[in-house]
Amino acid sequence: MRTLGKWAAPVGALGIALIVGVFLLGLVTNTRTDMLLLLGALGVVCVAFYIITRPRDSKRQSSHARIASEGINVLVFAVVFIAIIAAINFIIDRQFSQRLDLTANKQFTLSQQTMQVLDTLTEPVKVTGFFTPATLHLRQQAEQLLREYQNHSNTILVEYVDPDENPALAQKYDNALPGTVVFESTNPANPRTEKLYDPYDENGFTNAILKVTQTRQPAVYFTAGHGEYSPLDFDTGGMGAVGDFLKAVNYKVESLNLATVSDTLPADTSAIVIAGPTTKFSPENDKLLKDYLDKGGRVLLMAEPNTDIGLTETLGAWGIGLENNLILDPGLNYRGDAPVPVFVSFPNSPLTENLRTLGVFMPGARAIKTSSVEGKMPTPLLTTTDKACVKTDFEKLAQAGQLECAETDTKGSFVAGVALEGAGVGGAGGDARSRLVVLGNATFATNRWMNHQDALGNQQFFENIINWLAGQEQLIAVPPRDPNLRPLAVMTENEINLVLWTSVVLVPLAALLIGSLLWWRRR
């Protein structure tokens, strides 16, 4: 105990410093709650250590002055410790641009997508913030975020102006009000401006940079007239969330009824999306899409199980066959639901970039088969485990409850998504490659699933596909994060068992053993 007593004062001071530090961090930062609780608990343990192990004798216990002196020493030590930490933090903040982001979703770090956009800038972007003393708090928010952009790229030029002191400049930007942040291209051949207002976030700033620097806004058209999902529908069964994702990175998103198209698709078309049609396309529409692909077009086709969509000429030219079945994967699925296979193994492709740590799940998918066609290069994107099977009797499936693989079912690995490239003329990205992506499911991209906290992988996968089709490969990256999102990681059966045994058995057993040992020693 005497040996421990030597450490009582410094450990107690450290405990007080931790408790005070946790309080300050909770007030001025967005540090994770579980991290604050851990540090606070550690501080309480340190203080408890001091109370238990501090030296005791009759003289000290009777001397109130000595006890008060010890308390003052501990308090002074804690204050000095906190002051040293604060001084180190101040020096680092002033001398070094690098920062350590300890938040759960790295909300104070630029996303990979934003950094790739900045890396591709060929000309400076001028940013002017209009703030008055009354909007100082807004300036601090904008300045903190813009500093991250400047730390990564010297092409972001920032200036802060008080519109009351410089009304002429404010008038230049249509009488910019306090709190306005203006992004402006410095290219005289492409003079563009974009104004943003509070609240400021990375999505808005990056989108503004894209708007003022892109000479052409890529357009994505969703077909209509065959029961497809709509990007303008924000109900559960719509794809309004997908439309918002694309607009956030400066895509033009519209619906297009092919019945209104005479000979060719709109001239600004970067990609066509066919999202879960329920009726067959006419031969005329089939030929229209085939001709579009032959000329370097880009198409995403998402076909649900148990639907005949036609398009035999287009799919045949690319060697694609849509199997009339439903995939079940007992080996890897979403929360024990076999008809919702989860995909965590991906090929080396830009379409599957950054998906290995997220995973993709398809709530009800059909299998896709490919055959060899000269000049067409297929890449399987989504492949089930070898424990999967397929069901073909949809009448029985509609009456069944829990779906499971039976002995008579065809088993093996099945492809639920494939990407193909072929020679063409023109191309959305300025090259001469036609591109086609075919998925055996469309429901995964509806609002019901895209707004789900576990759907980060689905969101990333869909955005990767559109960016690849539209020739916007610089946007294939991890997008800005929602600081309040806590996605559920896909766990294997062994990992689930480990968590179960650790939390239900080992931790309570350890507490029981420690309590028994303490009781035995004090007995």
Side-chain angles (χ1 to χ4, degrees):
M1 186 63 74
R2 290 182 178 179
T3 304
L4 294 177
K6 295 179 181 179
W7 294 94
V11 171
L14 176 61
I16 294 176
L18 284 172
I19 294 172
V20 174
V22 166
F23 178 76
L24 295 176
L25 285 172
L27 285 179
V28 301
T29 71
N30 290 321
T31 305
R32 290 168 47 182
T33 303
D34 54 350
M35 184 66 72
L36 293 177
L37 291 175
L38 178 61
L39 293 175
L42 184 59
V44 172
V45 170
C46 291
V47 173
F49 177 87
Y50 167 76
I51 295 173
I52 295 172
T53 62
R54 64 189 175 89
R56 295 180 178 85
D57 56 53
S58 56
K59 292 183 179 179
R60 289 188 177 183
Q61 290 178 355
S62 62
S63 174
H64 296 290
R66 180 64 62 88
I67 293 175
S69 176
E70 284 186 1
I72 293 174
N73 288 338
V74 171
L75 181 61
V76 170
F77 187 90
V79 171
V80 171
F81 179 82
I82 295 173
I84 292 173
I85 296 299
I88 293 174
N89 183 68
F90 178 79
I91 293 171
I92 291 176
D93 182 64
R94 289 301 179 92
Q95 298 296 326
F96 303 97
S97 60
Q98 293 80 9
R99 298 181 181 182
L100 182 61
D101 188 351
L102 298 178
T103 55
N105 283 335
K106 301 297 180 183
Q107 64 190 85
F108 298 113
T109 302
L110 293 181
S111 68
Q112 183 186 9
Q113 189 178 74
T114 292
M115 289 189 285
Q116 289 188 188
V117 169
L118 294 176
D119 291 340
T120 59
L121 291 178
T122 58
E123 59 193 29
V125 174
K126 183 180 177 182
V127 184
T128 306
F130 291 91
F131 301 98
T132 62
T135 56
L136 179 61
H137 63 291
L138 295 180
R139 170 173 173 167
Q140 291 173 341
Q141 295 174 20
E143 192 172 3
Q144 181 183 22
L145 184 54
L146 288 171
R147 191 182 300 122
E148 297 296 333
Y149 282 74
Q150 289 181 294
N151 288 340
H152 185 81
S153 174
N154 58 9
T155 58
I156 305 300
L157 311 177
V158 181
E159 179 185 10
Y160 299 100
V161 176
D162 188 333
D164 294 337
E165 296 181 357
N166 193 344
L169 186 59
Q171 188 175 8
K172 174 185 174 183
Y173 298 106
D174 298 326
N175 295 319
L177 299 174
T180 304
V181 179
V182 181
F183 289 76
E184 183 178 10
S185 168
T186 58
N187 182 358
N190 182 38
R192 294 187 181 185
T193 60
E194 181 72 13
K195 294 198 291 187
L196 296 180
Y197 307 93
D198 175 54
Y200 315 114
D201 58 29
E202 185 182 345
N203 262 322
F205 281 9
T206 301
N207 189 23
I209 292 173
L210 287 170
K211 285 184 177 180
V212 301
T213 57
Q214 286 183 334
T215 56
R216 172 178 175 268
Q217 183 183 23
V220 177
Y221 289 96
F222 284 68
T223 62
H226 308 88
E228 299 97 328
Y229 295 110
S230 170
L232 308 178
D233 183 0
F234 290 90
D235 290 337
T236 303
M239 285 191 177
V242 162
D244 283 349
F245 293 153
L246 298 178
K247 291 174 183 176
V249 284
N250 199 36
Y251 279 101
K252 172 185 173 183
V253 179
E254 292 187 3
S255 291
L256 176 66
N257 192 324
L258 296 182
T260 64
V261 178
S262 55
D263 296 323
T264 59
L265 295 170
D268 64 347
T269 304
S270 296
I272 293 291
V273 178
I274 305 172
T278 57
T279 61
K280 295 176 66 173
F281 282 73
S282 68
E284 293 77 17
N285 289 163
D286 189 2
K287 185 178 185 304
L288 180 68
L289 291 170
K290 180 181 178 298
D291 291 345
Y292 169 68
L293 282 168
D294 290 342
K295 296 177 182 177
R298 311 291 174 88
V299 174
L300 167 60
L301 169 61
M302 298 181 284
E304 299 275 36
N306 196 28
T307 56
D308 181 8
I309 64 172
L311 298 179
T312 54
E313 187 177 354
T314 300
L315 295 177
W318 287 77
I320 294 295
L322 298 176
E323 298 289 292
N324 190 30
N325 55 30
L326 176 68
I327 297 174
L328 274 64
D329 193 349
L332 190 60
N333 52 63
Y334 184 71
R335 297 187 177 183
D337 195 359
V340 188
V342 172
F343 306 92
V344 294
S345 297
F346 304 99
N348 185 19
S349 167
L351 289 96
T352 55
E353 192 77 22
N354 304 303
L355 291 181
R356 287 175 176 82
T357 58
L358 298 174
V360 173
F361 59 88
M362 293 278 181
R366 71 197 301 171
I368 300 170
K369 283 193 174 182
T370 59
S371 57
S372 178
V373 175
E374 185 179 357
K376 305 296 191 296
M377 298 174 292
T379 300
L381 301 176
L382 305 175
T383 305
T384 67
T385 68
D386 56 6
K387 297 180 180 179
C389 71
V390 290
K391 299 281 189 179
T392 57
D393 193 335
F394 287 94
E395 290 185 5
K396 288 185 178 180
L397 290 176
Q399 300 171 0
Q402 184 73 18
L403 299 181
E404 298 178 350
C405 291
E407 291 294 332
T408 56
D409 294 332
T410 303
K411 298 180 177 64
S413 296
F414 299 93
V415 174
V418 62
L420 304 99
E421 275 193 302
V425 180
D431 55 30
R433 306 297 297 176
S434 302
R435 290 177 176 176
L436 172 65
V437 176
V438 182
L439 303 179
N441 175 265
T443 307
F444 86 101
T446 58
N447 300 329
R448 175 187 176 187
W449 294 103
M450 276 296 182
N451 290 325
H452 199 281
Q453 67 172 3
D454 296 340
L456 283 181
N458 289 7
Q459 297 170 12
Q460 181 78 63
F461 184 48
F462 191 92
E463 291 183 40
N464 285 357
I465 291 173
I466 298 299
N467 290 329
W468 183 72
L469 291 175
Q472 301 291 310
E473 281 86 349
Q474 78 275 12
L475 297 180
I476 297 179
V478 178
R481 309 156 187 84
D482 182 348
N484 299 314
L485 198 58
R486 300 290 186 269
L488 179 66
V490 177
M491 300 176 67
T492 65
E493 185 176 353
N494 290 335
E495 291 172 335
I496 293 174
N497 290 333
L498 177 62
V499 171
L500 175 66
W501 281 96
T502 302
S503 59
V504 177
V505 178
L506 295 182
V507 172
L509 183 60
L512 180 62
L513 288 175
I514 293 173
S516 300
L517 289 174
L518 291 175
W519 172 80
W520 181 261
R521 290 189 62 183
R522 294 178 179 178
R523 187 172 62 91

